[in-house]
Amino acid sequence: MALLRVLCVHGYRQSSSSFREKTGALRKLLKKQLELVYISAPHPVIANDNSQDQEKSSSAGDEDQRGWWFSDVQACSFDARQECDSSLGLDESLEAVRVAVKDLGPFDGILGFSQGAALVAMVCALQEQELEPAFSFRFAILVAGFRSACAQHQRFYEGLEVTLPSLHVFGQEDKVIPEQMSRELLPIFPRAHILTHPGGHFIPAASAHRQIYQEFLQKFQEKVDKQGQTAIS
């Protein structure tokens, strides 16, 4: 059975290495379905950034903390609830995704966590509007995602419905990105599947969640397997 290749987009104050560590249980849970490929955001986060969106790795040795954009342009910090007219760094982050697709792809899907999931929603919007030829994902998984509160980013949401199949994962006890903030993305994704879990700000990977993940991924897996059989014959 061919594995689905998924580009993984970490949260604020994380990196490719720390996110790989945090998704170890998910990799194990879906090892027969997914190959996860990780990238790091282009922007280092300064040490004295005390933003509310704390997603720093629990690994004490992880000093490579990064972000996809900053809501406070002057302080170079980020808070998911901060309303702002403009942000800093988003264009470079979208370019990082383009480069990853070119250099590490092709990919079947894209997975994002927290600020990374918010970025994935923007990538989906660009793909839906055919504004980015490099993006051709077949599905998206958004864990603790949210709509950016930046006025500059509302172009990704207004008057748009993303037809790309998506799985949205919410933690009912998430204090960093409350469930309601994540649900505000749902009107933009009319084909959304939903996985709710009773925990907080993390990617759920208990055996109880396996079926929901697998049911969502199954149709994409079947297509990959058929393509592989055609190539062999």
Side-chain angles (χ1 to χ4, degrees), residues 167-172 179 183 186 193-199 204 208-209 212:
L167 175 64
H168 299 247
V169 184
F170 314 135
Q172 294 172 328
E179 179 181 356
R183 288 188 175 275
L186 292 181
H193 297 246
I194 297 173
L195 189 167
T196 58
H197 66 94
H209 306 127
I212 296 176

Side-chain angles (χ1 to χ4, degrees), residues 105-126:
F107 293 103
D108 298 290
I110 184 168
L111 177 153
F113 175 66
S114 201
Q115 192 192 43
L119 181 70
V120 166
M122 298 175 188
V123 168
C124 292
L126 291 173

